[in-house]
Amino acid sequence: MAASPHSPNSTFRRLRGQHSPAEFAALVRRAAKEIGETVSCDARYIGRVESGEIRCPNYAYERVFLHMFPGRTLADLGFSPRESVRGRSAHRDPRSPSSSKESDVLRRAFMAGGSATVAAATLSLTLLGDTRRLPSRAGETEAAAVEDAVRQIRLLDDRHGADALYRRAAEPLRTAYALLDAGATRQSTEDRLHSGAGELAVSVGWLAHDSGRFDDARSHYAEALATARVARDPGLEAHAFSNMAFLARDCGRSREAVRAAQAGLRAARSLGSPRLLSLLALREAGGWAGLADRKACEEALARAHTEFARGESEADPEWMSFFGQAELESLEARCWSTLGEHARAARHARRAADLQDPHFARNVALYTAELAGDLARAGAPDEAAWAGGRVLDLLAEVQSTRVRSMLAETAAALVPHQRSPRVETFLTRHAPAGRSAV
């Protein structure tokens, strides 16, 4: 029988069986990958389903749940019919003090759109900028809206890249901090707002970072770090330092990259997530590579592999869903490339591109662009041109200044080999793409 509004979904709870919420969320994410879907499921989402707060999942989750439990309907899983939960009144509890018209407008504004096209992606995070429409005190609805905005940004970035999203995503960030300034109805809600606003600052910072706006990215990451320290949130602090280390490496500040990664490691040690320690060790390795310290780089890489081999954990942060074997290979490839070992880097970059789920179009484009660059510098121009052509195909869907810049460097490296028919074809295709990126 379907759950009524805000009554527990006991059917779904029984289906979870002996798995913890975090373990079950990992199964959901794995099932999503099997069918080429993307969901950012975590223990909190499972809790919202089982409490009855989520009466009917969105279409992405619906496809995943029906894949996990073949032969069953949403009603069999304890959900209400979709038509019964459509409309404004279906999304809020009339007993809740935060169920005002403004709160509902806020949620819909945070989550407007979500189309799978780049054009729609540029409109999908529009938010009313009039802070006079915000509630006097933030409640659960507002906290959930901030969290949902973070997930939406991550999903759209995975599919389309950052360039189309950055300016739109700045509005939800401003509103999230306005909500923090207004205060919350409960301490638990305020804690969620701090965490959500900080994660949103990191996500918006990443969009700035990936689209080449390094000064903006630095500012957003610093805002996230300050939020983490005010809230005494080591998980958010580790995330902010991880991205700050990445940015410092991209800006050529290698020693700063090492120090930021090491600070992130100190923050993360108490969290119990080997995968997070692995990622931060890779960030540190990238800094050491930039300093041409091969020994320190290799030591950090060894630590990264050791921690990664410990496997997934319930303590793994939701934002780390991107960090799998493909990302590890990619980050190691960048280390060897920085150290000038381009053939070795190409082997890792090729593995990254081969391992990456094609649903994550931006990462496929990124890893393949890395491969093209490493092959060009390793003396394999025809292979580099082939990989560059694959990236050009993906750029019809992906908007990333980072990827375009990498491809431009590859094109420049291949100019001396333009007598090769394959190289000539790539350079001819790249020329208009390169001009359009200027």
Side-chain angles (χ1 to χ4, degrees), residues 189-209:
T189 303
E190 187 159 331
D191 291 343
R192 283 179 66 187
L193 276 174
H194 266 103
S195 178
E199 290 293 345
L200 195 54
V202 173
S203 293
V204 176
W206 165 248
L207 296 179
H209 183 170

Side-chain angles (χ1 to χ4, degrees), residues 48-250:
R48 291 173 66 199
V49 170
E50 293 179 359
S51 71
E53 179 184 346
I54 296 177
R55 296 168 55 200
C56 185
N58 66 28
Y59 288 107
Y61 275 105
E62 176 182 353
R63 287 189 287 271
V64 175
F65 291 150
L66 296 183
H67 171 67
M68 292 177 70
F69 303 104
R72 305 197 190 203
T73 65
L74 284 181
D76 294 333
L77 303 181
F79 292 109
S80 299
R82 189 172 303 282
E83 58 272 14
S84 73
V85 298
R86 285 176 175 161
R88 178 178 300 173
S89 62
H91 293 285
R92 51 184 206 272
D93 182 350
R95 298 166 294 180
S96 169
S98 62
S99 62
S100 63
K101 178 179 178 181
E102 289 80 3
S103 297
D104 184 62
V105 169
L106 177 66
R107 176 183 289 279
R108 289 188 292 107
F110 264 121
M111 300 306 300
S115 169
T117 66
V118 174
T122 65
L123 302 173
S124 65
L125 295 166
T126 301
L127 180 68
L128 295 174
D130 186 357
T131 55
R132 293 173 298 179
R133 307 269 322 254
L134 299 179
S136 57
R137 304 279 284 181
E140 295 297 308
T141 299
E142 289 71 40
V146 174
E147 292 163 352
D148 287 347
V150 175
R151 295 186 181 99
Q152 181 81 334
I153 287 172
R154 289 172 184 160
L155 291 175
L156 290 169
D157 176 49
D158 283 339
R159 294 177 181 178
H160 305 295
D163 290 14
L165 302 174
Y166 173 60
R167 296 192 183 280
R168 298 290 182 180
E171 288 299 325
L173 181 61
R174 281 192 285 270
T175 300
Y177 277 92
L179 288 168
L180 260 184
D181 190 56
T185 54
R186 299 177 183 175
Q187 184 60 48
S188 60
T189 303
E190 187 159 331
D191 291 343
R192 283 179 66 187
L193 276 174
H194 266 103
S195 178
E199 290 293 345
L200 195 54
V202 173
S203 293
V204 176
W206 165 248
L207 296 179
H209 183 170
D210 194 44
S211 56
R213 300 172 173 92
F214 289 169
D215 288 342
D216 288 352
R218 190 178 182 87
S219 175
H220 290 309
Y221 292 159
E223 186 172 39
L225 181 60
T227 303
R229 289 183 164 170
V230 166
R232 298 182 180 180
D233 184 339
L236 176 58
E237 184 173 345
H239 192 183
F241 273 128
S242 173
N243 280 47
M244 292 171 83
F246 194 5
L247 177 64
R249 193 215 66 166
D250 282 355

Side-chain angles (χ1 to χ4, degrees), residues 254-283:
S254 299
R255 195 165 299 281
E256 180 183 326
V258 170
R259 289 171 176 167
Q262 291 174 339
L265 284 163
R266 289 193 293 272
R269 283 198 184 105
S270 64
L271 299 176
S273 171
R275 287 291 167 92
L276 178 55
L277 295 176
S278 176
L279 175 61
L280 288 161
L282 286 162
R283 300 288 191 227

